[in-house]
Amino acid sequence: GLRFTELDLGGPGIVIRDATGTEITCAQTLGDETLLTGWDIGDDLIIQIYDYGTSVSDVAFCIEEYTPPAPMVPNYTETFDTYLPDRWSEASGAYGSPTGASSSFTSDDFVNDSSNSNGLSAKINIYGTSIDEYLISPEFNLSGSDYFLNFDVGLTVWNSSNAASLGADDYVALLVTQDGGSTWTELDRWDSTTTVSETGSSASEKVLSGYGDTVQFAFYAFSDTSNEDNDFFIDNFQITTTTLSTSTNTLEGFT
């Protein structure tokens, strides 16, 4: 792969395009670093410099070879105390088609409660007519064993800790890909028919059996109608080699 780094950006912006003229990535912030994706070794790249401000100055940048880190082998835990976490990414776009490197996901106190024992979490405000937002995990190597995926979720009214329900158009989906994002499979969904606690709760455990050596997960949030205005929270994302669920509701000999 390639990594693009702007070293000094004044007035101009820089666009990287493939040989057909299709934009690959756009960086417009001093010190921005972007991985160039959507191309193959041997493709031509076109670097276009243009003025998007009031003045034009010299632009220094570099393009360097980049070897992505190997997929991680769990056990793995992410508490979102730092955002974005290492090797996580954001994107936007239609269901199953994440693009770009930013979204409306952000960091905040779990369920908008500064005293909550979870501390900070990932949050998305679900409201309006154009919410197509992704929070994407690192790549994992899940081959050769069964793994278990667990995480916490919560739902509140925007900027409060009050109980909420998702609007008729709103939903959050958990997706997984094993081919670098070309195709995604839905593992879970939270929508207007789902009850999500305003104090937070554990999502149902996902048994990851038969997965390969390059697996990524994504939380996708959607809204296309301005009705309910809610905050959805994700925390304590864990992939483990042993189940975290209680296998039975009856504990023999326990009083």
Side-chain angles (χ1 to χ4, degrees):
L2 290 181
R3 180 166 55 195
F4 168 80
T5 306
E6 289 184 25
L7 303 179
D8 179 20
L9 179 57
I14 298 177
V15 175
I16 309 295
R17 302 182 186 275
D18 63 21
T20 68
T22 301
E23 183 177 327
I24 295 176
T25 186
C26 179
Q28 297 180 346
T29 304
L30 180 65
D32 195 16
E33 182 177 282
T34 307
L35 300 185
L36 304 185
T37 59
W39 62 283
D40 296 315
I41 297 296
D43 288 351
D44 291 331
L45 298 179
I46 301 168
I47 300 175
Q48 176 187 1
I49 300 176
Y50 66 98
D51 178 19
Y52 70 88
T54 58
S55 62
V56 177
S57 63
D58 293 338
V59 178
F61 60 90
C62 67
I63 295 178
E64 62 182 355
E65 184 177 2
Y66 174 73
T67 302
M72 291 185 284
V73 178
N75 292 319
Y76 173 86
T77 298
E78 178 51 61
T79 61
F80 297 100
D81 289 336
T82 300
Y83 193 88
L84 270 169
D86 184 38
R87 298 173 66 170
W88 286 71
S89 61
E90 295 179 340
S92 59
Y95 180 96
S97 301
T99 59
S102 64
S103 77
S104 295
F105 274 92
T106 187
S107 173
D108 208 341
D109 297 317
F110 188 63
V111 295
N112 287 323
D113 178 7
S114 61
S115 65
N116 192 283
S117 59
N118 277 34
L120 294 175
S121 65
K123 181 182 83 170
I124 180 72
N125 176 232
I126 304 177
Y127 175 74
T129 60
S130 57
I131 298 298
D132 289 286
E133 314 296 326
Y134 286 85
L135 177 62
I136 304 173
S137 79
E139 291 185 338
F140 297 98
N141 183 342
L142 304 181
S143 62
S145 180
D146 289 347
Y147 291 91
F148 302 88
L149 172 61
N150 287 274
F151 50 88
D152 298 337
V153 293
L155 180 70
T156 69
V157 173
W158 172 75
N159 205 31
S160 83
S161 294
N162 296 331
S165 297
L166 289 167
D169 62 303
D170 303 335
Y171 68 90
V172 176
L174 171 65
L175 309 178
V176 62
T177 181
Q178 298 191 72
D179 55 13
S182 295
T183 58
W184 295 84
T185 300
E186 186 170 311
L187 297 179
D188 209 345
R189 178 180 290 223
W190 300 265
D191 57 23
S192 60
T193 67
T194 308
T195 299
V196 182
S197 172
E198 74 277 14
T199 60
S201 61
S202 298
S204 60
E205 185 175 71
K206 311 296 183 294
V207 180
L208 307 175
S209 180
Y211 281 80
D213 59 3
T214 309
V215 183
Q216 274 184 294
F217 301 91
F219 293 94
Y220 170 70
F222 175 83
S223 175
D224 65 2
T225 304
S226 295
N227 43 37
E228 304 296 334
D229 189 356
N230 298 318
D231 291 333
F232 189 94
F233 300 84
I234 302 159
D235 203 8
N236 294 329
F237 182 96
Q238 300 177 76
I239 300 177
T240 55
T241 55
T242 57
T243 180
L244 300 185
S245 294
T246 301
S247 59
T248 176
N249 291 326
T250 302
L251 303 180
E252 296 293 337
F254 180 82
T255 59

